[in-house]
Amino acid sequence: MPTHSSEAHHQRQMAESFGTDAERYDRARPRYPAELVNRIVAAAPGPAVLDVGCGTGIVARQLQGAGATVHGVEPDERMAELARRFGLEVDVATFEDWDAGGREFDAVVAGQAWHWIDPVAGAAKAARVLRPSGLLSAFWNALQLPPEMSSALVEACQRVIPDSPVDLTQAFTKSAVEIYAAGLDKVAEGMHQAEAFDVPDRWRFDWEHTYTREEWLDQLPTFGILTRLPPEKLAELMDALQPSLDQMGDSFTLPYSTLAITAARR
């Protein structure tokens, strides 16, 4: 679900709410295309990677599988603890306040996380911890829901959480690729203002994922606008979605585009 906005990095309560059910988040959230992971590892000048907003270590484990050594920074202790159980070294801090302790890296990456970070301060901080020619790469999985599913989600969310800080119609019905592309523009501007990076490249990887009905319902509570819902409200929303899911069948395939913006430190 798109969460990009010019004020996203100020929404700290939402940004640090994903650990409400860290194991569900790790289980249900989609992974990233191997082509993206391999491209980052191949383009970096060395294997040392800093994973910003590492969450439960989804990106980190994929990078480790491709030969990188990864250190994580994560503001939510609950997410960080699960990542540690998977063997990842994680510091609990926001990236802007994190103390690198003199460490340097060959790449700084952020999967589904850079919009929670001030784009200018974040780029400047990344430049300080990157070795020359090191990469800053931020990327997102953009999911495009079919009309019947998106309409049902908007209607249910407007009824159950009418005071949501997210524009629900935009989040669920507009082109996810266009929304995230606008977010990449903000990242590019932050890189430019940091005055430390080459002109960034933009990468796109299109793919599909087939969900069972149960897998989709398992993922829904990990969306940022739903992570802080009390159980009774979440149950009400899930019940409201049942008719639309009946139309989708026991399994369905949804299209994703992974969008990345990557720049080398001068």
Side-chain angles (χ1 to χ4, degrees):
M1 182 201 72
T3 48
H4 274 294
S5 78
S6 60
E7 300 298 324
H9 60 278
H10 296 306
Q11 297 176 11
R12 296 310 314 171
Q13 286 185 323
M14 185 184 295
E16 297 173 19
S17 69
F18 296 99
T20 301
D21 191 343
E23 291 188 357
R24 180 198 294 267
Y25 186 99
D26 189 81
R27 177 180 67 242
R29 280 293 182 112
R31 275 43 182 171
Y32 297 88
E35 295 89 342
L36 167 68
V37 174
N38 292 334
R39 191 168 180 178
I40 291 171
V41 172
V49 177
L50 179 68
D51 185 1
V52 176
C54 69
T56 62
I58 291 174
V59 173
R61 299 199 299 274
Q62 290 189 257
L63 287 164
Q64 287 174 331
T69 58
V70 187
H71 189 90
V73 178
E74 167 57 43
D76 190 322
E77 173 62 47
R78 299 163 297 182
M79 301 284 272
E81 179 55 33
L82 183 54
R84 292 187 188 113
R85 281 159 49 191
F86 286 119
L88 185 67
E89 293 184 4
V90 185
D91 296 332
V92 176
T94 62
F95 182 51
E96 295 93 330
D97 295 333
W98 174 67
D99 182 2
R103 288 168 290 189
E104 292 184 327
F105 300 88
D106 299 299
V108 172
V109 304
Q112 223 75 20
W114 199 257
H115 55 283
W116 302 121
I117 296 165
D118 181 278
V120 179
K125 183 67 170 281
R128 290 196 294 273
V129 301
L130 280 169
R131 296 186 176 101
S133 300
L135 300 183
L136 171 57
S137 184
F139 43 90
W140 291 265
N141 285 331
L143 167 64
Q144 190 62 55
L145 295 176
E148 61 272 26
M149 186 178 286
S150 59
S151 297
L153 266 172
V154 170
E155 182 179 344
C157 288
Q158 287 177 336
R159 184 167 73 249
V160 176
I161 44 174
D163 57 347
S164 171
V166 175
D167 183 334
L168 297 168
T169 299
Q170 173 173 276
F172 290 128
T173 63
K174 290 191 175 181
S175 167
V177 168
E178 289 182 11
I179 294 171
Y180 277 107
L184 264 63
D185 290 341
K186 295 183 177 68
V187 180
E189 180 58 27
M191 291 173 170
H192 174 72
Q193 290 191 38
E195 299 182 341
F197 292 94
D198 294 337
V199 176
D201 291 326
R202 300 191 186 209
W203 306 336
R204 173 172 172 168
F205 306 87
D206 294 322
W207 51 283
E208 295 179 334
H209 185 75
T210 298
Y211 289 93
T212 65
R213 181 191 185 103
E214 291 73 22
E215 287 169 342
W216 177 246
L217 289 173
D218 196 32
Q219 183 178 321
L220 274 178
T222 73
F223 288 176
I225 64 170
L226 305 181
T227 49
R228 290 177 292 156
L229 280 185
E232 64 276 10
K233 288 289 187 181
L234 183 60
E236 180 183 350
L237 187 141
M238 294 296 192
D239 287 343
L241 293 175
Q242 294 302 329
S244 66
L245 289 175
D246 289 341
Q247 297 178 28
M248 300 293 294
D250 293 333
S251 66
F252 41 87
T253 299
L254 300 180
Y256 279 89
S257 294
T258 299
L259 305 179
I261 184 164
T262 303
R265 180 182 176 274
R266 292 174 188 158

